[in-house]
Amino acid sequence: MNEEGAPIRQAGRWVSVRLQHRHVSFDEAFEADEPLPDGDCADEASLSYSGIVISSYDRGEKVSERWIPLGVDPSEADDERLIGQLREALLWQAGRPPQTAEE
């Protein structure tokens, strides 16, 4: 563990998965797609929603980030999309190429 209590990541590839709330404002004065603190509500000129962020790191540097929105009542297709994204990220972490649907 490091001084902050976080585990020390080994060199190489690793993936981070976390829940994130985003806020998008339709007002030009507000920068869109900023994270919204928990508990804040959207008004008439904005929208607030949750999603899962999958970040991929290689040798300590972020190389990609995917944001997958979560609906209030996710469908089976939403679940399958999330599972597919997680699977691709973990295969990348393991250094394996993604498999096609035929395999």
Side-chain angles (χ1 to χ4, degrees), residues 19-20 49-52 67-74 78-79 82:
L19 180 66
Q20 184 181 71
Y49 49 99
S50 298
I52 292 179
W67 194 85
I68 303 156
L70 294 177
V72 176
D73 187 19
D78 294 333
D79 293 344
L82 175 58

Side-chain angles (χ1 to χ4, degrees), residues 1-19:
M1 294 239 169
N2 65 15
E3 295 170 3
E4 293 83 32
I8 297 172
R9 300 274 184 200
Q10 296 180 357
R13 293 179 167 188
W14 56 279
V15 174
S16 166
V17 178
R18 68 187 188 281
L19 180 66

Side-chain angles (χ1 to χ4, degrees), residues 21-42:
H21 302 282
R22 290 200 174 177
H23 182 79
V24 177
S25 178
F26 305 107
D27 181 5
E28 293 179 0
F30 185 81
E31 190 171 321
D33 243 10
E34 292 183 4
L36 182 69
D38 290 339
D40 286 358
C41 300

